[in-house]
Amino acid sequence: MYEVALIMTERLLRTVAFTAVTALAVAAVSGPAVAATPAPPPGPGAVHSPDQALGPKWKSSSDVVVTGTGDADGYHLYIAREKDAFAWHTLATLTSHSIDIGPWGGSVCVTGSGRYAVAVFAPEQAVNRPALAAAGGLAAVVDTTTGVAHTVATGVQLAYFDPSCGPGDRALLTRETGDIDRHPQTDLLTVDAAAGKVVQTRHIAAQFTTPATAPDGDYGMVGGQLVKLAAGGGAYTRLGRPRGNAFGVRATAGGAVDVVSVAGGQAVAERYANGHFTTTATGPSDKVQLFGLRGGHNALVGQVAERAGAPADLTTVPETRQVAGLSGDGHLVVEEALGSQTAQSVARPLAAASPDAAGSVRLKVRAVAGAAEQAATVATTAAPTLDVDLGALSPVQTVTPRTVDQPRCAVPRNDPAVQPFQPSPEMVEWAVDNAVHGTLTLTRPANYLKAGLPAYQPQGPDGWFPLGNPQNSTLPAGSRAVPAQVMLGIVAQETNMSQASWHEVPGDTGNPLVASYYGSAANDVIDYSKSDCGYGISQVTTGMAVDDPGPYDTSDQQAIAVDYAANIAAGLNILIDKWNQLHEEPAGATDTMNDDDPNWIENWFTALWAYNSGLHAYADRDSTDSGGYYGLGWLNNPANPNYPANRDGFLRDSYADAETPSHWSYPERIMGWIETPQLKNGPGYSGDAYSTPVYGQSSPEVHLHGDDSPSRVLNLPDIWAFCSTAFGCSQSTGGCPAVDNSCWWHGHVDSPAGNCENGECAKEDTPSAGGPEPGVQRTYERDCVPFDPSVITDRDPARNWNMVYTLNEHEQYNLGCTPPEGMAGGKFLIRGGSPVGRPDTGPYAQVDLHQQGSGYFGHIWFTHGLGGNSTTGIKHRISGAWMPDLDLNPGQSSWYHIIAHLPSHGGNWSAAVYNVQRGNQAPINGQSVYAYVSSCAIDQDPSTGDFGRDHFIDLGTYQLEPGAQVILSNDNAPTTADVGYDAMAFVPVTKVPSSGTCGSVPH
């Protein structure tokens, strides 16, 4: 990455679960009256009137369909069988406790036998980081009869063609290697699905896309040509060039290969057999797709016009839109599969992807025989779970004490003095609207958010991050720098408009959102030398590392990490720097759009390209690794065949596009968020999360999401606009056959109707400019009400009671709640690793430790369970100890009622075991020993029972001595559980047994 790290910022999602299994209306079916049929077999989302919709033989059918969506719990596979009227069930859940960076996404295919599903899955936002898009996915094989899954590979490509299944039970996976901008190469992994393992890896010295396995070998595309790979090694034979740019390649059981490409604005289906291509069908470029069927047949789905003599083993399935999947026999079309959390990420930004928000998928399907359409929301149910332990798959990296002691990123995690505030959407829009005009001049008071900073202004004459200006002769000094919607699109894609960790919701504080703080996506590896150190809502990287402070001092760095307004001001200047870098190139080497006026949104396309993957400068053209070339890299070129040639604009067809962001280049994704803002549907607010642009009177019109009325959209360049023979790129040859530095692009591009001054482009809309900072719309109310010990029956008023907070320095509570003074207290201690402090395990415990602005007075700690893992999991062992300063002298004991506070969010372990230790005993061999009294297991999940909010729960009454403590460990918690550590009260009682019992409500 260059100055902005674009990494793993997961969509932050509202904790409001979808209702399960809500069937909608079925389209009317024309034809003669049909006798009433028995009700379909019970099941979520089952097709209505199956005799009519599926045909009379549905009960004996073996047709099956598998689809997938992701959320915070993992990538879920769902299966439906025609004999069950295509009722849906959860087949398997794929995840990895080694990675805690947000919701999961993926793609899946089913092998020709229908027995196995092959899936590639990864955190959704991995595509924002080029290296992870090239080789950051996990791959698994799932038995469709049992749901049992096996990991087959790690480090595979996140692309629309991965994975690829064929007529048999072999599947193919790709991995981009080499330098993805200079000399990309491809590893092709062959998976034996029946054996559940990779049986061959071939190294191909080219960009190899759309792989297809066949009985006689393996096929794919290289440089716009269909090629056949040698059985061993990476050699290939060029077979011929289809009519257009291929986006679908599938082999048949009979040895032919079907290819669908875009040529001259049309989708063209061709079959390669007997040494030549034959056209089999045509259709609109974005309305034809190629799917495989069981038995080695293929299907064209869409608005297909078949040619005479089309092969009998090539089926046509009519459809009006691009679809998510097709059953193995072609009887059911899955038009859309949209997970609840993805829906909420585009509809409700800044809501944590907690397990409460996970748990369902929205499915739109069409039964082909009866042309019956319906939609349903189907609950994700318990299913076999594959939890990939990355630490067990590869040797754990050795970490030297020096490396562990010296993180590269300047602002630390898990520091109570660094708790950024999570804003709500209107606050983000307000900050951007003002920042682009240089009017983000509010004054933050001294010690804002208890971060120890002096008073400051983000912008203004004395601001810490004064507004830069694009270098462009048409822009007078002092003019606005960037259209607000460009910056809003960036923060929507990058961080889902989030300043704090993805676990936090509006109104919370928590750990800073940091790109790769530990230098790895896996919790099992710490390599600070590879830390990106991108902070906050804009993922500011420049100057945020201790070895590269750049223009920032420690106060600047702290403000960027803590304050969303300061972060936006700093991030905006980085985007301006990208524009300026493009314009600082010498004549003939600049990268410009349309009339090059920065006031027009479309003109920022190339700057967004550079923002994500950088610019290869003209001055560096003769360096060893540039070879005389310069410009914008191949990775984000829309002509790159890693992106399907038949795609429409990002989010134009459906919000479900957010399930597969790897199908679009980075600048296309940003432009999609500009056209289709997130919606802020939540408690107390609704509508767009930010304003759409002011479109010109001649801006293009399309039917967004299938709406009847057309909407104005951006005037974006064609995907081939940046493909020129001067750079070795040609539409007629399928992109850039050389795929090396010569593919780097520079020059000028006009949008299809690129005369912006004639109303064909869009400008910003800044409704919040000049106004005061809006108040936060909290997702959860703060719990600032002090605990009242008088509610405890038989309280002993002669002794002090104790409240042990999670922050020993009470002044670090920064949500506006002030803990009462004067009560006896105690200490809370987090211990990590096993044994505690062991140099090769202790640091790892911090990786999956988080602080959050929930719970009693606005602070808890939480981590995830280890699932009883006694090997690699030992590194992430967390034990929290509440150690009260009891009103007792040495040798004394007394009875205390112990009450734990549980937060409204941040803890959900259903059987959290609190171990009570009585106090200090006589030392043994010089070591203190603690007398164990008892334990209490309680349900931390506030969504169960009648709570759904912050509340207290009894742990029981115990005889305690000085040195007593209560310990909660994540050892035996499920890996999907959040283990929360909140405040705890110790109230002396006069009567034993007291009325309090484990798990009851205090009274």
Side-chain angles (χ1 to χ4, degrees), residues 11 67-70 75 105-106 124 321-325 334-347 361-364 649-664 673 676 705:
R11 288 190 180 81
T67 192
T69 65
Y75 183 60
E124 273 187 347
R321 50 171 291 176
Q322 291 197 24
V323 301
V334 181
E335 294 183 327
E336 183 175 290
L338 182 60
S340 59
Q341 284 194 332
T342 301
Q344 291 179 38
S345 74
V346 295
V361 58
R362 178 74 169 170
L363 293 161
K364 294 182 179 180
F650 183 59
L651 299 175
R652 284 187 179 179
D653 284 341
S654 168
Y655 278 123
D657 289 351
E659 292 274 10
T660 55
S662 60
H663 295 195
W664 289 266
W673 287 118
T676 310
H705 308 152

Side-chain angles (χ1 to χ4, degrees), residues 466-512:
L467 178 65
N469 214 40
Q471 296 178 2
N472 186 292
S473 60
T474 65
L475 187 69
S479 297
R480 58 179 174 266
V482 181
Q485 274 65 38
V486 173
M487 194 66 189
L488 287 165
I490 288 174
V491 299
Q493 173 63 35
E494 286 298 317
T495 60
N496 203 35
M497 305 171 69
S498 174
Q499 175 68 15
S501 159
W502 74 277
H503 295 284
E504 317 311 331
V505 297
D508 280 354
T509 55
N511 275 333

Side-chain angles (χ1 to χ4, degrees), residues 25-31 47-55 317-320 330-333 335 365-374:
V26 179
V29 180
S30 60
V47 170
H48 299 172
S49 304
D51 286 350
Q52 192 171 352
L54 301 174
V317 179
E319 257 294 344
T320 59
H331 297 170
L332 188 80
V333 176
E335 294 183 327
V365 301
R366 185 174 64 86
V368 174
E373 294 182 341
Q374 69 181 60

Side-chain angles (χ1 to χ4, degrees), residues 767-858:
S768 301
E773 182 178 24
V776 65
Q777 297 285 346
R778 298 184 185 277
T779 303
Y780 297 94
E781 290 303 316
R782 296 171 295 174
D783 183 7
C784 296
V785 179
F787 174 71
D788 181 4
S790 66
V791 303
I792 303 303
T793 304
D794 305 322
R795 178 197 169 196
D796 182 358
R799 293 187 181 277
N800 292 327
W801 69 282
N802 305 72
M803 177 63 74
V804 180
Y805 295 87
T806 56
L807 291 178
N808 297 320
E809 301 296 332
H810 294 177
E811 64 272 12
Q812 292 300 333
Y813 281 84
N814 65 5
L815 279 182
C817 301
T818 304
E821 298 293 335
M823 72 174 69
K827 293 182 179 179
F828 178 76
L829 180 64
I830 289 281
R831 300 180 176 99
S834 181
V836 175
R838 192 171 123 187
D840 60 339
T841 65
Y844 292 93
Q846 290 287 324
V847 178
D848 194 25
L849 178 64
H850 314 271
Q851 56 182 337
Q852 185 174 73
S854 61
Y856 192 62
F857 283 86

Side-chain angles (χ1 to χ4, degrees), residues 330-649:
H331 297 170
L332 188 80
V333 176
V334 181
E335 294 183 327
E336 183 175 290
L338 182 60
S340 59
Q341 284 194 332
T342 301
Q344 291 179 38
S345 74
V346 295
R348 296 168 181 168
L350 294 170
S354 75
D356 293 338
S360 63
V361 58
R362 178 74 169 170
L363 293 161
K364 294 182 179 180
V365 301
R366 185 174 64 86
V368 174
E373 294 182 341
Q374 69 181 60
T377 299
V378 175
T380 303
T381 55
T385 297
L386 173 66
D387 186 350
V388 181
D389 189 339
L390 294 178
L393 293 177
S394 58
V396 176
Q397 179 171 339
T398 300
V399 182
T400 66
R402 179 179 179 277
T403 303
V404 167
D405 291 342
Q406 297 181 12
R408 181 170 181 264
C409 301
V411 183
R413 291 180 75 256
N414 295 323
D415 183 349
V418 183
Q419 296 184 60
F421 180 78
Q422 195 76 290
S424 48
E426 53 279 321
M427 300 174 76
V428 176
E429 182 171 28
W430 165 85
V432 171
D433 285 356
N434 282 281
V436 299
H437 291 274
T439 57
L440 197 56
T441 56
L442 80 164
T443 299
R444 295 300 193 196
N447 202 29
Y448 175 64
L449 292 176
K450 308 297 179 68
L453 295 170
Y456 67 92
Q457 290 182 328
Q459 288 183 324
D462 300 317
W464 285 9
F465 310 101
L467 178 65
N469 214 40
Q471 296 178 2
N472 186 292
S473 60
T474 65
L475 187 69
S479 297
R480 58 179 174 266
V482 181
Q485 274 65 38
V486 173
M487 194 66 189
L488 287 165
I490 288 174
V491 299
Q493 173 63 35
E494 286 298 317
T495 60
N496 203 35
M497 305 171 69
S498 174
Q499 175 68 15
S501 159
W502 74 277
H503 295 284
E504 317 311 331
V505 297
D508 280 354
T509 55
N511 275 333
L513 179 61
V514 193
S516 188
Y517 182 86
Y518 296 98
S520 172
N523 290 355
D524 301 287
V525 175
I526 296 176
D527 185 357
Y528 288 130
S529 68
K530 296 180 181 177
S531 300
D532 284 307
C533 305
Y535 280 83
I537 191 168
S538 305
Q539 286 292 274
V540 176
T541 300
T542 300
M544 296 303 291
V546 293
D547 56 358
D548 181 24
Y552 302 137
D553 60 23
T554 55
S555 293
D556 293 330
Q557 292 169 335
Q558 192 95 335
I560 287 170
V562 168
D563 180 6
Y564 78 99
N567 190 287
I568 286 171
L572 180 65
N573 283 340
I574 293 174
L575 179 60
I576 293 170
D577 285 345
K578 293 302 178 184
W579 174 282
N580 290 342
Q581 287 176 22
L582 299 179
H583 288 79
E584 287 166 355
E585 295 288 89
T590 56
D591 302 276
T592 58
M593 292 283 300
N594 300 318
D595 59 6
D596 200 29
D597 183 344
N599 287 291
W600 301 108
I601 290 172
E602 288 88 340
N603 293 348
W604 284 84
F605 193 95
T606 52
L608 291 169
W609 186 341
Y611 185 90
N612 177 253
S613 52
L615 172 71
H616 305 286
Y618 178 83
D620 298 330
R621 67 193 182 282
D622 293 326
S623 64
T624 301
D625 58 358
S626 290
Y629 300 106
Y630 54 93
L632 292 166
W634 178 238
L635 172 70
N636 274 315
N637 194 315
N640 191 322
N642 281 348
Y643 314 114
N646 67 330
R647 67 193 183 274
D648 202 351

Side-chain angles (χ1 to χ4, degrees), residues 57 85 99 135 165 193 222 254 292 318 324 442 591 597 694 739 754 795 953 987:
K57 297 182 180 180
I99 304 175
C165 296
V222 172
L442 80 164
D591 302 276
D597 183 344
V694 177
V739 193
R795 178 197 169 196
I953 198 79
V987 181

